[in-house]
Structure formats: structure tokens, C-alpha cells
Amino acid sequence: MDSSGAGPKVAATKPGEGLQRGSLNLPRLIFIGLAYFSLAPVIYLNMGFMESDSGGPVMPFLFILITIAVLPTAISFAVLNNRRPTAGSGSTWLWESTYPAVGLWLGWIMMATYIVVAALYPPAFGTFFNALLSYFHVTATTWTGIGGGVVAILIIGFLNYNNIKLSSVLIGVLMVLEGVFIAAVALVIVIEGGHLGHFSATPFNPGAATAGFSGLSLAGIFAFLSIAGVDAVAPVAEESHTPRRLIPLATILITVIAGLFWTLTSYGFAISVPVKTVEAYVNAGQITPVLPITRSYIGGWAVLVPITGFTAAVASFGAALYAAGRISYALSREGFISGYFKRLHPRFSTPWRAEAVTLLISLVFLIAV
């Protein structure tokens, strides 16, 4: 190991002999981490709940608060990834430092969590797909939503079947497009001054929450769930360059970048319309209040809200599938679950069997929901 703590350089693994080392550089890791966080959908889907529950335009304040609160956890993951980068993440750290049974317990929890997170995205894709149909006055039904979800499963199944280098870049492109769009809309709102007509510090003032501490706490849950995935890049540690250096760095960067992005962009939407208007949109059953708000500021370009919504769902689905597949692979490799899941793709060295099972569960979940 060198003095920088980066660890020895490891040659790329031969196909079939473990996950393909050296596949992910820092930009690809950041793409995966930010895609897991779901930059645009956090604004799209959480705005209505956060403002109506708190009774005030306090999203920026909550995102600052939650980002600061979660940083110690991100730092802890960075330190542990520096000492023991592994696809097993917390499960491996725990069973090696305590008892195998404890690691198995955490491994099952992590595997179930990643699989559930992955399974949520096909319905999200279908929801935004239906919103796009409705935007063009096309009848949207349960079956069109299911059809959209199936398309998302097929797209991500194809991408993740192949080399992680390619799929992570494509996921990154989708993630950048959604981020640029939501930032551009927020900037337009700020330039126009929103409904206040001027800059205001109100969104950073907790006293603006008319629902008081209980309302802020309830709204804060949605902010916390947005940034809770600081472990997103840990399962791909064995496929990165110099994992002892890049995985900790990526862990901190994605946490700070996501927190800053949500704080800055949510400011624009916080001043865009009165809270009562947001509540009215929610009560009217709008999929996201961002759609009518965006339409009032940029007109027909608001069609990009549902479009970036389902492209963001695809990107986040891919990132979640990485995590679910690799934690399942690691547990299988250690003998904690069936050896079926430790078999890798013969050419790309990806845990395709574990990913395929997660895709199947996602399909069942999509139809059931």
C-alpha cells in the first residue's frame, strides 16, 4: 500500500474470476451515486408533501439541515470503504469485525432494502409515462402504466446485462439531463422572482412553517429519505479504480453535491407559488405540483417534467440494481445465501443472475402495485 492510502493497483480481473476491477473511475462512481439519489424526482415527488406537511416554503432549510445531519454517516462510510472496500459493504464489515451471524442479519436487511428500492422505479416510470400521455390528452390507464414499467425493466435489464462501464455512462447521461433541466427551471423562477417578486430569505427560515415543529419533522422525513443512500457506491467498490481512494471520495462528493443541488433548486420552487397553491395541486391529485408550476413559467417546455421524470426513474433503477445485484453476489460468495447468485456473466463479469432475479421481483411488484 502506498502512503496515500490508495492501496495497490490491481489488474483487471479476468472474466469469470470475480467482478471486473478497474471498470469505474470517479465520474462513473459519481454518476451511479447521484442517480441512486434521484435528483429530479426528489423535487418532483417530495415538494407537495414537504410544503403541505410543514405549511411553509421551507424545502431549502430542510435540505440544508438533513445534509449536515447525514454527513457524519457519509464520513463513516468513507472511512470504512477506505479500510475495507468490498461489494458486501456493511454486511462484510460487520461479520468480519463481530460474528458471521450478525453480518448475515445485516446482509439480509441490506439486500431486501436494495431490492425494494429497485422495485419502486418501474411503477415510478409508469406513473410519469402516464403523466406524459395525459399531457397530450391521451387516455392513461393502469395498463399503460404497467406497459411503461415493463419498458423500464427491459431497458435497464439490457444495460445492466452489459459492461458496467457502458451502462454507468448512459445512466450518467440521463441523470445529467434531468439535473440540468430542473436547475434551469429553478433559475428561471428565481430570475422572475416567483410569486414574491423578489429574493426572499423565507425558505431558509424554519419559522415560515406554520405547522410548527411537528410539521417540520414530518416534512423532514421526506428530505431525509432523499439523501439516506450515502452507501450507494459501496457495493461497486470492487469494480472501481483504486477503491480505497475513490470510493470514500465519491461517497463524500455525492452527499455534498446532492445536498447543494436540492437546496439551490428547491429555493426556486419554494418561491414559485404560494403554499396554498401547492396544497391545492396535491389535493387535486396532481402527480407532481412541479408540472403545473413549470407550465406557468416556461409554457410548453413543461412537457420535459414527465419526460425527465421517467428518464430519471430509469437512471435510478439502474443504480439501485447495481447495489441489489452486488450485495446479493457478495452474500452468495460468502456462503450466506444460495451459491446460484455468485455466478458471474462469462464475458462482462457482472452479477447478472442476481440482477435478473431482482428484475423479476420488480416485474411482479409492478403488476401487483
Side-chain angles (χ1 to χ4, degrees):
M1 182 181 299
D2 61 30
S3 60
S4 67
K9 293 183 178 180
V10 182
T13 307
K14 294 180 181 179
E17 295 183 359
L19 297 170
Q20 191 71 21
R21 298 184 185 275
S23 298
L24 301 174
N25 55 19
L26 184 60
R28 291 190 178 97
L29 290 171
I30 292 176
F31 286 160
I32 292 171
L34 293 180
Y36 188 90
F37 278 145
S38 301
L39 295 182
V42 164
I43 301 294
Y44 292 165
L45 301 178
N46 288 359
M47 178 183 179
F49 296 112
M50 291 174 71
E51 293 213 351
S52 58
D53 287 340
S54 63
V58 290
M59 287 191 297
F61 166 76
L62 289 173
F63 281 125
I64 291 174
L65 185 66
I66 294 300
T67 301
I68 294 173
V70 84
L71 268 176
T73 302
I75 293 171
S76 298
F77 267 91
V79 171
L80 289 167
N81 276 305
N82 172 264
R83 295 179 179 178
R84 180 68 165 95
T86 171
S89 184
S91 173
T92 300
W93 302 332
L94 201 56
W95 80 260
E96 288 184 346
S97 60
T98 57
Y99 300 98
V102 180
L104 172 61
W105 169 77
L106 181 60
W108 274 102
I109 291 178
M110 293 178 67
M111 183 174 66
T113 300
Y114 287 139
I115 290 174
V116 169
V117 169
L120 291 174
Y121 288 111
F125 183 99
T127 299
F128 281 109
F129 179 69
N130 274 0
L132 181 63
L133 294 179
S134 299
Y135 187 92
F136 289 109
H137 307 292
V138 177
T139 301
T141 67
T142 299
W143 290 109
T144 58
I146 289 177
V150 170
V151 169
I153 291 173
L154 293 175
I155 292 173
I156 287 303
F158 174 76
L159 288 179
N160 283 38
Y161 178 82
N162 292 286
N163 192 315
I164 193 173
K165 284 185 177 181
L166 173 63
S167 57
S168 60
V169 169
L170 293 178
I171 284 172
V173 170
L174 295 176
M175 184 274 301
V176 169
L177 290 176
E178 69 178 87
V180 169
F181 171 71
I182 200 71
V185 174
L187 181 61
V188 169
I189 296 172
V190 170
I191 292 174
E192 295 191 12
H195 78 282
L196 298 176
H198 56 80
F199 290 105
S200 171
T202 300
F204 301 102
N205 178 13
T210 59
F213 180 77
S214 61
L216 271 176
S217 300
L218 188 58
I221 293 174
F222 293 97
F224 173 76
L225 292 176
S226 304
I227 202 169
V230 295
D231 57 326
V233 296
V236 296
E238 296 178 26
E239 294 158 281
S240 73
H241 294 291
T242 56
R244 292 181 186 274
R245 180 175 64 88
L246 290 190
I247 297 296
L249 180 58
T251 300
I252 300 301
L253 285 177
I254 62 173
T255 304
V256 173
I257 292 171
L260 286 174
F261 177 86
W262 289 323
T263 299
L264 295 175
T265 56
S266 67
Y267 177 84
F269 290 96
I271 68 171
S272 61
V273 295
V275 173
K276 292 295 183 182
T277 303
V278 175
E279 292 175 348
Y281 288 145
V282 173
N283 294 332
Q286 288 278 356
I287 293 175
T288 168
V290 172
L291 180 56
I293 290 172
T294 303
R295 187 185 292 119
S296 67
Y297 280 93
I298 62 173
W301 288 104
V303 68
L304 291 175
V305 171
I307 291 175
T308 54
F310 62 66
T311 56
V314 169
S316 300
F317 186 23
L321 189 60
Y322 288 148
R326 279 143 186 84
I327 193 70
S328 301
Y329 160 77
L331 291 173
S332 177
R333 182 178 59 186
E334 301 300 339
F336 288 153
I337 61 174
S338 170
Y340 174 84
F341 298 102
K342 69 180 180 181
R343 299 287 298 275
L344 300 174
H345 189 286
R347 178 182 175 189
F348 300 119
S349 297
T350 54
W352 173 243
R353 289 189 174 189
E355 291 180 334
V357 171
T358 302
L359 290 170
L360 180 60
I361 293 173
S362 299
L363 177 62
V364 173
F365 184 80
L366 169 68
I367 296 173
V369 170

